[in-house]
């Protein structure tokens, strides 16, 4: 595939299904390139590893939510739709700069340290085993529906204190919000999720429990409590990021193994390779393609290109992790690869706070799945599998597998 001379569009089905070929050519010819993204706005796509690290950390590139709308107004095309979310639902730590980011992140970091996550190991294993028990005796299942989704949504819901009966609603709302679709449908899903969380927060305020959401309601740092909007948007962020990343990490990792039988055999022969294998799954086909929106507050040079002030900058983590200048034979899955730093969880102050939990869940889920079903295989032609209609997440719509 060659880089088109005309305007580069990333809102096409071809790109959604296979971004890698275009990314490879962009890294070679135009690692920082203006493009049109879904919903019809212009921005600069960053595809090379070194440029991505700069874009993820340079203070001239902001994530403060208040600046999104003015930039969108300047760079939205005539047939574009407005922002597919309400700003009051996006006032969380992922959409903030210091000092707001510092204050917000401090309130949740303690819940996701490696030590705290380590205490969850038995519970994660128990959830995985229960789901595997339910799958046993069946010939074919959709691994996403039966396993990859319910495991992380159960964990994050229990952490936050979301009732079990409401968890399927979150899957529907989340899937709608991150998929490229009609704005009114996306906005309705966000509004429904926001209303539910506002009611749940009020319940936690009246009747606090032993869960993270109750802790956030009562949390304060030097007397500065989270506002109502910050509470709702923070809960929304934790619920969405707390399961979407892991769902796709598990699904993409299992698919990669089933498409590379020699790697699957190596992992079965030596389960001690599992932690390194998870890192390779993150690098090879990470769960996030293009990271969330950023914009320039001053001109900045990236990849030899000057990006003016007031422009969107969007970083492809999937592309950066396959940069030939950073990783040898990057399109080859190798679970024994000597690991170098990948960007699947981001970089800098916005590095994913839930990374330790995602790693634990993925290692547990994949390891126990392979132990339980030694004959696991794909139940569909790989070419028939469909990737989700999203430039944000890199994940399958379904993953049919044979268990016997």
């Amino acid at each position: 595939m060659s880089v088109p001379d005309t305007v580069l569009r990333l809102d096409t089905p071809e790109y959604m299904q296979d971004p890698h070929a275009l990314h490879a050519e962009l890294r070679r010819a135009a690692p920082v390139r203006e493009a049109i993204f879904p919903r019809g706005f212009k921005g600069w796509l960053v595809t090379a590893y070194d440029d991505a690290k700069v874009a993820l950390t340079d203070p001239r590139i902001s994530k403060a939510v208040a600046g999104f709308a003015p930039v969108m107004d300047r760079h939205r095309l005539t047939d574009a739709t407005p922002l597919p979310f309400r700003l009051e639902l996006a006032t969380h730590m992922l959409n903030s700069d210091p000092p707001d980011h510092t204050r917000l992140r401090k309130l949740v970091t303690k819940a996701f340290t490696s030590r705290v996550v380590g205490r969850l190991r038995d519970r994660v294993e128990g959830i995985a085993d229960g789901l595997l028990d339910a799958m046993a005796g069946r010939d074919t299942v959709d691994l996403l529906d039966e396993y990859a989704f319910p495991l992380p949504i159960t964990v994050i819901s229990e952490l936050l204190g979301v009732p079990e009966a409401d968890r399927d609603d979150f899957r529907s709302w989340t899937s709608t919000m991150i998929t490229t679709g009609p704005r009114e449908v996306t906005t309705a899903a966000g509004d429904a999720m926001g209303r539910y969380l506002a009611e749940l927060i009020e319940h936690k305020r009246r009747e606090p429990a032993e869960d993270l959401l109750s802790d956030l309601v009562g949390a304060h740092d030097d007397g500065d409590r989270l506002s109502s909007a910050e509470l709702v948007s923070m809960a929304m962020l934790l619920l969405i990021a707390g399961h979407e990343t892991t769902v796709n990490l598990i699904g993409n990792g299992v698919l990669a193994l089933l498409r590379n039988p020699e790697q699957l055999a190596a992992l079965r022969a030596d389960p001690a390779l599992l932690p390194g294998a998870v890192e390779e799954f993150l690098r090879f086909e990470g769960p996030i393609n293009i990271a969330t929106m950023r914009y320039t507050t001053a001109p900045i040079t990236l990849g030899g290109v000057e990006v003016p002030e007031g422009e969107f900058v969007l970083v492809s983590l999937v592309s950066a992790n396959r940069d030939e200048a950073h990783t040898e034979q990057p399109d080859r899955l190798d679970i024994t690869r000597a690991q170098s730093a990948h960007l699947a969880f981001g970089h800098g102050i916005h590095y994913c706070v839930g990374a330790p939990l995602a790693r634990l869940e993925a290692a547990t889920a994949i390891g126990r799945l392979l132990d339980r079903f030694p004959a696991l295989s794909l139940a569909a032609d790989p070419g028939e599998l469909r990737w989700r209609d999203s430039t944000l997440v890199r994940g399958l719509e379904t993953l049919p597998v044979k268990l016997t």
Side-chain angles (χ1 to χ4, degrees), residues 94-389:
L94 191 59
N95 287 335
S96 61
D97 297 332
D100 289 335
H101 173 269
T102 308
R103 175 178 67 90
L104 294 170
R105 188 175 177 106
K106 184 178 180 180
L107 293 172
V108 298
T109 297
K110 62 183 179 180
F112 294 98
T113 64
S114 295
R115 175 193 283 183
V116 172
V117 168
R119 298 194 202 115
L120 296 172
R121 184 177 302 276
D122 288 346
R123 179 58 184 143
V124 174
E125 291 175 349
I127 295 168
D129 288 342
L131 294 169
L132 293 170
D133 288 343
M135 290 161 52
R138 299 167 63 182
D139 179 56
T140 303
V141 299
D142 177 359
L143 197 69
L144 299 186
D145 268 346
E146 304 292 337
Y147 192 56
F149 167 73
L151 190 154
I153 194 64
T154 300
V155 174
I156 194 63
S157 294
E158 289 183 356
L159 273 176
L160 283 166
V162 175
E164 182 175 359
D166 300 330
R167 293 170 193 171
D168 282 343
D169 288 336
F170 282 106
R171 183 183 190 183
S172 175
W173 291 331
T174 299
S175 180
T176 301
M177 290 167 65
I178 65 175
T179 299
T180 303
R183 176 182 178 268
E184 59 274 14
V185 175
T186 306
T187 301
D191 288 347
M193 190 173 185
R195 286 193 300 271
Y196 173 87
L197 289 172
E199 293 174 3
L200 183 61
I201 286 166
E202 287 308 308
H203 175 74
K204 301 293 183 183
R205 202 185 302 278
R206 294 189 303 270
E207 300 178 31
E210 296 293 322
D211 56 58
L212 178 56
L213 191 52
S214 295
D215 290 345
L216 289 174
V217 170
H220 58 87
D221 182 18
D222 296 329
D224 186 12
R225 293 180 181 272
L226 291 169
S227 68
S228 295
E230 287 173 337
L231 277 168
V232 171
S233 58
M234 183 73 80
M236 186 176 290
L237 170 67
L238 293 173
L239 274 165
I240 294 174
H243 80 273
E244 271 292 347
T245 301
T246 310
V247 169
N248 298 317
L249 173 54
I250 294 170
N252 295 357
V254 171
L255 175 64
L257 286 174
L258 296 180
R259 296 193 68 180
N260 292 271
E262 76 290 348
Q263 298 295 303
L264 176 58
L267 185 56
R268 288 193 183 281
D270 184 3
L273 294 173
L274 189 54
V278 170
E279 299 308 307
E280 177 67 349
F281 302 148
L282 285 161
R283 184 206 67 80
F284 179 74
E285 194 77 87
I288 300 296
N289 177 7
I290 298 177
T292 51
M293 298 164 67
R294 291 165 163 80
Y295 57 92
T296 54
T297 59
I300 182 172
T301 299
L302 291 170
V305 176
E306 182 173 285
V307 179
E309 178 183 347
E311 299 276 333
F312 282 122
V313 174
L314 292 103
V315 180
S316 174
L317 306 180
V318 160
S319 177
N321 287 334
R322 291 205 186 192
D323 189 342
E324 301 82 350
H326 180 72
T327 302
E328 187 175 351
Q329 293 185 297
D331 295 327
R332 176 174 175 265
L333 181 74
D334 181 2
I335 64 170
T336 66
R337 187 188 298 274
Q339 293 296 325
S340 56
H342 60 70
L343 300 179
F345 289 122
H347 182 64
I349 65 171
H350 291 289
Y351 183 85
C352 178
V353 70
L357 180 57
R359 286 183 166 108
L360 170 64
E361 291 173 331
T364 301
I366 294 173
R368 292 176 111 74
L369 174 71
L370 298 182
D371 285 344
R372 182 67 68 92
F373 300 111
L376 185 74
S377 63
L378 272 177
D381 185 294
E384 296 175 353
L385 298 175
R386 300 293 297 172
W387 295 88
R388 293 169 67 179
D389 188 14

